Amino acid sequence: KDDDESRKRITALALARDSLCLIDNIIGGLGCASLDAALTATIWKDRLLTTNETPELPLLVTWSATGNNVVLQADTSRRVAHIRLDSRLENPEQRDGFKHPNLRAYVREHRPKLLADALTILAAFCQAGRHQQKLPTWGSFEGWSDLIRQAVVWCGQPDPGATRTELVEQSDREAIALRDLLAGWDELDPDRFGLTTAEIIDRLAQHPDRYSQVRDAILELCPAKAGNLPSVRSL
């Protein structure tokens, strides 16, 4: 929620030369200017605490994030490869019957083979001429997309970027609310005379059981205390 605090944490990661970062168990929304910059940068520049030094630091981090019903901000969503894990169980932590019950132990034991398999896919893709699979571009991640993503699809697997369409559509909540506001406007103002913000609030207050689409859109754009409408000024 605090962009300045996020920037400081990213600087600490860069100073520590960390290569992995997990943002775990997110509640609510994820995204800010600093995180957006870090997700697309390989060099990080920031002033060190208690000094005037602003060193340029390599930022070679693989980012992961987990959470239930996470809402990504619009600019963050285009930087994310979305993975939905749904066991369809009420208590997924009690699930059993896995092919590899102890996955971490299996990966540690078979790491050389798994790594060789992954590199074999890339080597074969390059030796075959790196034939592009006519995938949609992924701005800011062209290098990864042109090699890793293309190789995955080339060897017969689904496009890992295909999940982004749904994610982007769901993430830009402001754009969705504005669309809903326009879609429900004819019901609120059927004569199309135009309404002031005061008239909008007054009409919604006088008819609490009507104009649900406009009401929900306004509350999304201008959050208010439970059960209340926003003030005229905030709208």
Side-chain angles (χ1 to χ4, degrees):
K1 294 181 180 180
D2 186 336
D3 183 67
D4 191 51
E5 186 63 28
S6 296
R7 179 181 53 77
K8 293 175 183 177
R9 292 190 179 195
I10 294 166
T11 301
L13 286 171
L15 285 168
R17 301 294 198 272
D18 284 353
S19 59
L20 298 171
C21 177
L22 170 63
I23 307 172
D24 196 22
N25 197 25
I26 299 162
I27 298 174
L30 174 68
C32 62
S34 295
L35 180 60
D36 289 347
L39 290 175
T40 50
T42 56
I43 297 293
W44 187 256
K45 188 174 182 178
D46 188 29
R47 184 176 66 82
L48 300 181
L49 291 175
T50 71
T51 74
N52 290 321
E53 298 180 32
T54 55
E56 286 191 359
L57 304 166
L59 188 66
L60 303 174
V61 178
T62 298
W63 301 86
S64 303
T66 68
N68 290 319
N69 301 316
V70 177
V71 176
L72 295 175
Q73 307 304 327
D75 287 341
T76 304
S77 63
R78 76 171 185 84
R79 295 166 163 85
V80 172
H82 184 215
I83 302 170
R84 182 186 296 279
L85 300 177
D86 186 1
S87 66
R88 302 191 181 280
L89 296 174
E90 183 176 356
N91 298 300
E93 70 278 4
Q94 298 176 6
R95 188 176 167 199
D96 57 13
F98 293 103
K99 182 177 180 180
H100 304 294
N102 190 336
L103 184 60
R104 276 184 277 194
Y106 174 84
V107 170
R108 289 192 184 100
E109 182 181 352
H110 296 85
R111 182 178 183 276
K113 180 182 183 302
L114 294 171
L115 183 59
D117 289 346
L119 293 175
T120 298
I121 292 172
L122 295 178
F125 176 64
C126 292
Q127 289 175 10
R130 297 182 64 156
H131 297 297
Q132 299 300 289
Q133 305 300 300
K134 298 181 180 179
L135 303 178
T137 58
W138 193 331
S140 303
F141 299 95
E142 293 86 355
W144 176 86
S145 180
D146 291 345
L147 179 60
I148 308 297
R149 182 181 171 211
Q150 293 280 351
V152 167
V153 176
W154 174 78
C155 69
Q157 296 302 308
D159 176 12
T163 60
R164 297 172 62 236
T165 302
E166 177 190 1
L167 184 64
V168 170
E169 290 175 352
Q170 293 178 347
S171 295
D172 197 347
R173 297 175 65 173
E174 182 174 312
I176 294 171
L178 287 171
R179 283 197 293 268
D180 288 343
L181 181 65
L182 293 174
W185 189 261
D186 280 346
E187 182 187 5
L188 187 69
D189 183 22
D191 298 322
R192 300 202 174 189
F193 289 144
L195 298 171
T196 66
T197 51
E199 289 170 335
I200 294 171
I201 296 296
D202 185 56
R203 196 162 294 188
L204 293 175
Q206 288 183 11
H207 304 281
D209 298 325
R210 296 177 61 188
Y211 315 124
S212 60
Q213 193 170 22
V214 171
R215 185 188 308 274
D216 291 345
I218 286 176
L219 289 174
E220 177 67 38
L221 294 166
C222 307
K225 293 182 179 179
N228 296 328
L229 292 166
S231 68
V232 172
R233 180 181 293 275
S234 66
L235 178 59

PDB file of all heavy atoms in Angstrom, residues 72-92:
ATOM      1  N   LEU A  72      -4.953  -7.248  -8.947  1.00  0.00           N
ATOM      2  CA  LEU A  72      -3.755  -6.569  -9.429  1.00  0.00           C
ATOM      3  C   LEU A  72      -4.127  -5.227 -10.029  1.00  0.00           C
ATOM      4  O   LEU A  72      -5.131  -5.112 -10.733  1.00  0.00           O
ATOM      5  CB  LEU A  72      -3.055  -7.416 -10.487  1.00  0.00           C
ATOM      6  CG  LEU A  72      -2.491  -8.758 -10.007  1.00  0.00           C
ATOM      7  CD1 LEU A  72      -1.945  -9.531 -11.189  1.00  0.00           C
ATOM      8  CD2 LEU A  72      -1.411  -8.548  -8.966  1.00  0.00           C
ATOM      9  N   GLN A  73      -3.314  -4.220  -9.745  1.00  0.00           N
ATOM     10  CA  GLN A  73      -3.529  -2.922 -10.362  1.00  0.00           C
ATOM     11  C   GLN A  73      -3.272  -3.033 -11.864  1.00  0.00           C
ATOM     12  O   GLN A  73      -2.549  -3.918 -12.320  1.00  0.00           O
ATOM     13  CB  GLN A  73      -2.598  -1.873  -9.734  1.00  0.00           C
ATOM     14  CG  GLN A  73      -2.677  -1.816  -8.211  1.00  0.00           C
ATOM     15  CD  GLN A  73      -4.091  -1.563  -7.691  1.00  0.00           C
ATOM     16  OE1 GLN A  73      -4.865  -0.864  -8.339  1.00  0.00           O
ATOM     17  NE2 GLN A  73      -4.422  -2.124  -6.544  1.00  0.00           N
ATOM     18  N   ALA A  74      -3.887  -2.124 -12.616  1.00  0.00           N
ATOM     19  CA  ALA A  74      -3.868  -2.248 -14.077  1.00  0.00           C
ATOM     20  C   ALA A  74      -2.462  -2.321 -14.647  1.00  0.00           C
ATOM     21  O   ALA A  74      -2.181  -3.139 -15.524  1.00  0.00           O
ATOM     22  CB  ALA A  74      -4.627  -1.076 -14.698  1.00  0.00           C
ATOM     23  N   ASP A  75      -1.536  -1.479 -14.169  1.00  0.00           N
ATOM     24  CA  ASP A  75      -0.186  -1.473 -14.726  1.00  0.00           C
ATOM     25  C   ASP A  75       0.616  -2.688 -14.281  1.00  0.00           C
ATOM     26  O   ASP A  75       1.581  -3.073 -14.937  1.00  0.00           O
ATOM     27  CB  ASP A  75       0.542  -0.189 -14.316  1.00  0.00           C
ATOM     28  CG  ASP A  75       0.027   1.029 -15.071  1.00  0.00           C
ATOM     29  OD1 ASP A  75      -0.608   0.837 -16.121  1.00  0.00           O
ATOM     30  OD2 ASP A  75       0.243   2.158 -14.601  1.00  0.00           O
ATOM     31  N   THR A  76       0.255  -3.275 -13.150  1.00  0.00           N
ATOM     32  CA  THR A  76       0.957  -4.458 -12.673  1.00  0.00           C
ATOM     33  C   THR A  76       0.496  -5.704 -13.413  1.00  0.00           C
ATOM     34  O   THR A  76       1.292  -6.602 -13.688  1.00  0.00           O
ATOM     35  CB  THR A  76       0.739  -4.630 -11.156  1.00  0.00           C
ATOM     36  OG1 THR A  76       1.151  -3.442 -10.475  1.00  0.00           O
ATOM     37  CG2 THR A  76       1.526  -5.816 -10.609  1.00  0.00           C
ATOM     38  N   SER A  77      -0.772  -5.761 -13.773  1.00  0.00           N
ATOM     39  CA  SER A  77      -1.325  -6.983 -14.364  1.00  0.00           C
ATOM     40  C   SER A  77      -0.632  -7.359 -15.664  1.00  0.00           C
ATOM     41  O   SER A  77      -0.463  -8.542 -15.956  1.00  0.00           O
ATOM     42  CB  SER A  77      -2.833  -6.815 -14.602  1.00  0.00           C
ATOM     43  OG  SER A  77      -3.092  -5.789 -15.541  1.00  0.00           O
ATOM     44  N   ARG A  78      -0.196  -6.371 -16.445  1.00  0.00           N
ATOM     45  CA  ARG A  78       0.439  -6.716 -17.722  1.00  0.00           C
ATOM     46  C   ARG A  78       1.846  -7.261 -17.519  1.00  0.00           C
ATOM     47  O   ARG A  78       2.476  -7.753 -18.468  1.00  0.00           O
ATOM     48  CB  ARG A  78       0.488  -5.478 -18.630  1.00  0.00           C
ATOM     49  CG  ARG A  78       1.553  -4.449 -18.274  1.00  0.00           C
ATOM     50  CD  ARG A  78       1.654  -3.378 -19.348  1.00  0.00           C
ATOM     51  NE  ARG A  78       2.733  -2.442 -19.110  1.00  0.00           N
ATOM     52  CZ  ARG A  78       4.007  -2.662 -19.470  1.00  0.00           C
ATOM     53  NH1 ARG A  78       4.340  -3.789 -20.059  1.00  0.00           N
ATOM     54  NH2 ARG A  78       4.930  -1.758 -19.228  1.00  0.00           N
ATOM     55  N   ARG A  79       2.355  -7.220 -16.302  1.00  0.00           N
ATOM     56  CA  ARG A  79       3.695  -7.724 -15.998  1.00  0.00           C
ATOM     57  C   ARG A  79       3.656  -9.097 -15.334  1.00  0.00           C
ATOM     58  O   ARG A  79       4.685  -9.580 -14.866  1.00  0.00           O
ATOM     59  CB  ARG A  79       4.413  -6.735 -15.064  1.00  0.00           C
ATOM     60  CG  ARG A  79       4.694  -5.363 -15.682  1.00  0.00           C
ATOM     61  CD  ARG A  79       5.095  -4.358 -14.598  1.00  0.00           C
ATOM     62  NE  ARG A  79       5.730  -3.177 -15.132  1.00  0.00           N
ATOM     63  CZ  ARG A  79       5.092  -2.108 -15.589  1.00  0.00           C
ATOM     64  NH1 ARG A  79       3.760  -2.096 -15.590  1.00  0.00           N
ATOM     65  NH2 ARG A  79       5.749  -1.060 -16.049  1.00  0.00           N
ATOM     66  N   VAL A  80       2.483  -9.712 -15.284  1.00  0.00           N
ATOM     67  CA  VAL A  80       2.313 -10.931 -14.497  1.00  0.00           C
ATOM     68  C   VAL A  80       1.929 -12.104 -15.390  1.00  0.00           C
ATOM     69  O   VAL A  80       1.062 -11.978 -16.258  1.00  0.00           O
ATOM     70  CB  VAL A  80       1.219 -10.717 -13.424  1.00  0.00           C
ATOM     71  CG1 VAL A  80       0.888 -12.032 -12.726  1.00  0.00           C
ATOM     72  CG2 VAL A  80       1.678  -9.683 -12.406  1.00  0.00           C
ATOM     73  N   ALA A  81       2.591 -13.250 -15.162  1.00  0.00           N
ATOM     74  CA  ALA A  81       2.171 -14.522 -15.746  1.00  0.00           C
ATOM     75  C   ALA A  81       1.293 -15.201 -14.697  1.00  0.00           C
ATOM     76  O   ALA A  81       1.779 -15.648 -13.656  1.00  0.00           O
ATOM     77  CB  ALA A  81       3.370 -15.391 -16.094  1.00  0.00           C
ATOM     78  N   HIS A  82       0.025 -15.280 -14.978  1.00  0.00           N
ATOM     79  CA  HIS A  82      -0.990 -15.665 -14.000  1.00  0.00           C
ATOM     80  C   HIS A  82      -1.090 -17.179 -13.887  1.00  0.00           C
ATOM     81  O   HIS A  82      -1.171 -17.887 -14.892  1.00  0.00           O
ATOM     82  CB  HIS A  82      -2.329 -15.084 -14.467  1.00  0.00           C
ATOM     83  CG  HIS A  82      -3.455 -15.310 -13.513  1.00  0.00           C
ATOM     84  ND1 HIS A  82      -4.744 -15.540 -13.916  1.00  0.00           N
ATOM     85  CD2 HIS A  82      -3.482 -15.353 -12.170  1.00  0.00           C
ATOM     86  CE1 HIS A  82      -5.517 -15.689 -12.873  1.00  0.00           C
ATOM     87  NE2 HIS A  82      -4.780 -15.592 -11.794  1.00  0.00           N
ATOM     88  N   ILE A  83      -1.091 -17.694 -12.668  1.00  0.00           N
ATOM     89  CA  ILE A  83      -1.289 -19.120 -12.406  1.00  0.00           C
ATOM     90  C   ILE A  83      -2.434 -19.253 -11.416  1.00  0.00           C
ATOM     91  O   ILE A  83      -2.363 -18.737 -10.301  1.00  0.00           O
ATOM     92  CB  ILE A  83      -0.027 -19.774 -11.813  1.00  0.00           C
ATOM     93  CG1 ILE A  83       1.163 -19.584 -12.753  1.00  0.00           C
ATOM     94  CG2 ILE A  83      -0.262 -21.250 -11.537  1.00  0.00           C
ATOM     95  CD1 ILE A  83       2.486 -19.990 -12.129  1.00  0.00           C
ATOM     96  N   ARG A  84      -3.499 -19.943 -11.821  1.00  0.00           N
ATOM     97  CA  ARG A  84      -4.631 -20.174 -10.914  1.00  0.00           C
ATOM     98  C   ARG A  84      -4.556 -21.610 -10.395  1.00  0.00           C
ATOM     99  O   ARG A  84      -4.577 -22.565 -11.164  1.00  0.00           O
ATOM    100  CB  ARG A  84      -5.958 -19.954 -11.639  1.00  0.00           C
ATOM    101  CG  ARG A  84      -7.173 -20.127 -10.715  1.00  0.00           C
ATOM    102  CD  ARG A  84      -8.463 -20.046 -11.499  1.00  0.00           C
ATOM    103  NE  ARG A  84      -8.650 -18.740 -12.104  1.00  0.00           N
ATOM    104  CZ  ARG A  84      -9.122 -17.684 -11.464  1.00  0.00           C
ATOM    105  NH1 ARG A  84      -9.433 -17.779 -10.184  1.00  0.00           N
ATOM    106  NH2 ARG A  84      -9.289 -16.538 -12.085  1.00  0.00           N
ATOM    107  N   LEU A  85      -4.473 -21.763  -9.080  1.00  0.00           N
ATOM    108  CA  LEU A  85      -4.451 -23.069  -8.438  1.00  0.00           C
ATOM    109  C   LEU A  85      -5.793 -23.286  -7.747  1.00  0.00           C
ATOM    110  O   LEU A  85      -6.120 -22.582  -6.795  1.00  0.00           O
ATOM    111  CB  LEU A  85      -3.315 -23.152  -7.407  1.00  0.00           C
ATOM    112  CG  LEU A  85      -1.893 -22.952  -7.943  1.00  0.00           C
ATOM    113  CD1 LEU A  85      -0.894 -22.986  -6.791  1.00  0.00           C
ATOM    114  CD2 LEU A  85      -1.553 -24.008  -8.962  1.00  0.00           C
ATOM    115  N   ASP A  86      -6.569 -24.231  -8.233  1.00  0.00           N
ATOM    116  CA  ASP A  86      -7.896 -24.480  -7.676  1.00  0.00           C
ATOM    117  C   ASP A  86      -8.078 -25.980  -7.531  1.00  0.00           C
ATOM    118  O   ASP A  86      -8.319 -26.691  -8.505  1.00  0.00           O
ATOM    119  CB  ASP A  86      -8.978 -23.890  -8.591  1.00  0.00           C
ATOM    120  CG  ASP A  86     -10.372 -24.008  -7.977  1.00  0.00           C
ATOM    121  OD1 ASP A  86     -10.473 -24.539  -6.840  1.00  0.00           O
ATOM    122  OD2 ASP A  86     -11.343 -23.584  -8.621  1.00  0.00           O
ATOM    123  N   SER A  87      -7.977 -26.481  -6.305  1.00  0.00           N
ATOM    124  CA  SER A  87      -8.135 -27.910  -6.051  1.00  0.00           C
ATOM    125  C   SER A  87      -9.602 -28.304  -5.966  1.00  0.00           C
ATOM    126  O   SER A  87      -9.919 -29.504  -5.945  1.00  0.00           O
ATOM    127  CB  SER A  87      -7.450 -28.274  -4.733  1.00  0.00           C
ATOM    128  OG  SER A  87      -8.124 -27.652  -3.645  1.00  0.00           O
ATOM    129  N   ARG A  88     -10.494 -27.305  -5.888  1.00  0.00           N
ATOM    130  CA  ARG A  88     -11.936 -27.535  -5.718  1.00  0.00           C
ATOM    131  C   ARG A  88     -12.218 -28.315  -4.433  1.00  0.00           C
ATOM    132  O   ARG A  88     -13.182 -29.078  -4.342  1.00  0.00           O
ATOM    133  CB  ARG A  88     -12.529 -28.246  -6.935  1.00  0.00           C
ATOM    134  CG  ARG A  88     -12.317 -27.484  -8.229  1.00  0.00           C
ATOM    135  CD  ARG A  88     -13.122 -28.037  -9.387  1.00  0.00           C
ATOM    136  NE  ARG A  88     -12.868 -27.289 -10.604  1.00  0.00           N
ATOM    137  CZ  ARG A  88     -13.413 -26.121 -10.917  1.00  0.00           C
ATOM    138  NH1 ARG A  88     -14.267 -25.560 -10.062  1.00  0.00           N
ATOM    139  NH2 ARG A  88     -13.129 -25.514 -12.051  1.00  0.00           N
ATOM    140  N   LEU A  89     -11.366 -28.108  -3.445  1.00  0.00           N
ATOM    141  CA  LEU A  89     -11.553 -28.733  -2.135  1.00  0.00           C
ATOM    142  C   LEU A  89     -11.673 -27.646  -1.084  1.00  0.00           C
ATOM    143  O   LEU A  89     -11.031 -26.598  -1.175  1.00  0.00           O
ATOM    144  CB  LEU A  89     -10.364 -29.641  -1.793  1.00  0.00           C
ATOM    145  CG  LEU A  89     -10.143 -30.858  -2.701  1.00  0.00           C
ATOM    146  CD1 LEU A  89      -8.851 -31.564  -2.304  1.00  0.00           C
ATOM    147  CD2 LEU A  89     -11.314 -31.817  -2.630  1.00  0.00           C
ATOM    148  N   GLU A  90     -12.484 -27.913  -0.075  1.00  0.00           N
ATOM    149  CA  GLU A  90     -12.653 -26.926   0.994  1.00  0.00           C
ATOM    150  C   GLU A  90     -11.378 -26.773   1.812  1.00  0.00           C
ATOM    151  O   GLU A  90     -11.038 -25.676   2.251  1.00  0.00           O
ATOM    152  CB  GLU A  90     -13.817 -27.353   1.906  1.00  0.00           C
ATOM    153  CG  GLU A  90     -14.119 -26.342   3.001  1.00  0.00           C
ATOM    154  CD  GLU A  90     -15.317 -26.741   3.828  1.00  0.00           C
ATOM    155  OE1 GLU A  90     -15.955 -27.757   3.520  1.00  0.00           O
ATOM    156  OE2 GLU A  90     -15.624 -26.010   4.801  1.00  0.00           O
ATOM    157  N   ASN A  91     -10.658 -27.883   2.005  1.00  0.00           N
ATOM    158  CA  ASN A  91      -9.409 -27.859   2.772  1.00  0.00           C
ATOM    159  C   ASN A  91      -8.286 -28.424   1.902  1.00  0.00           C
ATOM    160  O   ASN A  91      -7.878 -29.589   2.073  1.00  0.00           O
ATOM    161  CB  ASN A  91      -9.551 -28.677   4.056  1.00  0.00           C
ATOM    162  CG  ASN A  91     -10.616 -28.129   4.975  1.00  0.00           C
ATOM    163  OD1 ASN A  91     -10.536 -26.977   5.422  1.00  0.00           O
ATOM    164  ND2 ASN A  91     -11.641 -28.931   5.248  1.00  0.00           N
ATOM    165  N   PRO A  92      -7.766 -27.630   0.973  1.00  0.00           N
ATOM    166  CA  PRO A  92      -6.761 -28.155   0.039  1.00  0.00           C
ATOM    167  C   PRO A  92      -5.479 -28.604   0.714  1.00  0.00           C
ATOM    168  O   PRO A  92      -4.749 -29.431   0.164  1.00  0.00           O
ATOM    169  CB  PRO A  92      -6.508 -26.965  -0.897  1.00  0.00           C
ATOM    170  CG  PRO A  92      -6.953 -25.756  -0.134  1.00  0.00           C
ATOM    171  CD  PRO A  92      -8.084 -26.216   0.721  1.00  0.00           C
TER     172      PRO A  92
END
